[in-house]
Amino acid sequence: EDLGSFEVKGGLEQWGKEGVNLIINLNGTEIEEVKKIFNLNLPFRGRASGVLILDYSKNREKSIMQFDITVQELSTEEGNKFTAFVKGIHNIKERKIDIEDGKLLNGEGGQILFNGFIDKENFNLNFETQNMPLEDLLKLIPEDIRLKYNISVSGGSVSMKNFNIEKVKKKSV
């Protein structure tokens, strides 16, 4: 199967048992094949280009993966086609993703700009839509995550500027 093209540079501590420091340059890497290899449940296909930087150490408090990715030919099961750009950091040990900058384009002049964070129990995402329904972005979020955080949009669409969605788990006293 065609995984596409990518280049990996870096080092391994104790053959990866103690740590990994890698720079992975993606060049048209097929997301469908990555989903199969890592058993990922993502509701889209496409070809990824950009850089992943993995800095993991068993002994350090923080282990991170930085990403600056473009996904071309991004398509959903419904047949919607997009181009996506996303830049951020995944803190592996805290299981938190910070999205510094995200953009979803529909090819018809519409776009959704987004940023924020998602962790084990909470999320805070900010959106700005321009001639594109927010539902298009939500369809790209795996169903198990949409169910866990009760994320849905029903009926109609809206253009928004500085729209914020947040879910914070209440702590019992």
Side-chain angles (χ1 to χ4, degrees):
E1 308 257 354
D2 183 24
L3 185 58
S5 174
F6 62 95
E7 180 181 315
V8 179
K9 297 178 185 176
L12 305 173
E13 294 176 36
Q14 298 293 320
W15 291 100
K17 293 177 188 174
E18 296 296 317
V20 176
N21 189 327
L22 299 176
I23 298 173
I24 304 166
N25 289 304
L26 306 174
N27 187 14
T29 303
E30 185 59 56
I31 291 175
E32 195 66 29
E33 297 304 316
V34 174
K35 286 169 30 177
K36 289 177 191 174
I37 291 170
F38 293 104
N39 196 27
L40 299 173
N41 182 23
L42 301 173
F44 56 84
R45 297 174 292 289
R47 297 183 81 72
S49 298
V51 178
L52 298 172
I53 299 173
L54 180 61
D55 187 6
Y56 168 79
S57 177
K58 197 174 181 182
N59 301 324
R60 272 185 286 172
E61 192 172 306
K62 281 194 172 185
S63 292
I64 61 169
M65 178 176 59
Q66 298 176 50
F67 51 92
D68 191 352
I69 305 292
T70 299
V71 181
Q72 300 284 343
E73 303 168 22
L74 179 63
S75 61
T76 63
E77 293 172 5
E78 293 88 14
N80 300 339
K81 295 202 180 235
F82 307 101
T83 300
F85 305 91
V86 64
K87 179 179 181 178
I89 297 175
H90 177 204
N91 185 317
I92 298 163
K93 290 189 177 177
E94 292 179 9
R95 294 179 19 193
K96 179 179 179 184
I97 300 172
D98 285 304
I99 301 170
E100 296 171 19
D101 186 27
K103 183 186 290 188
L104 185 66
L105 308 172
N106 67 5
E108 299 168 9
Q111 67 178 2
I112 298 175
L113 308 176
F114 58 97
N115 62 37
F117 77 87
I118 301 171
D119 67 20
K120 295 181 288 189
E121 299 178 351
N122 306 304
F123 69 88
N124 184 318
L125 298 171
N126 303 294
F127 301 94
E128 182 177 326
T129 68
Q130 298 172 1
N131 301 318
M132 188 171 168
L134 185 58
E135 294 93 333
D136 287 349
L137 177 64
L138 298 182
K139 289 177 186 174
L140 300 175
I141 299 172
E143 185 177 4
D144 57 335
I145 292 174
R146 287 194 315 250
L147 291 172
K148 176 180 178 179
Y149 293 114
N150 195 24
I151 301 171
S152 67
V153 176
S154 57
S157 62
V158 64
S159 287
M160 295 171 279
K161 188 170 184 151
N162 299 323
F163 179 71
N164 178 280
I165 296 177
E166 182 173 14
K167 189 255 181 208
V168 177
K169 185 175 180 179
K170 304 261 190 232
K171 295 182 180 178
S172 55
V173 180

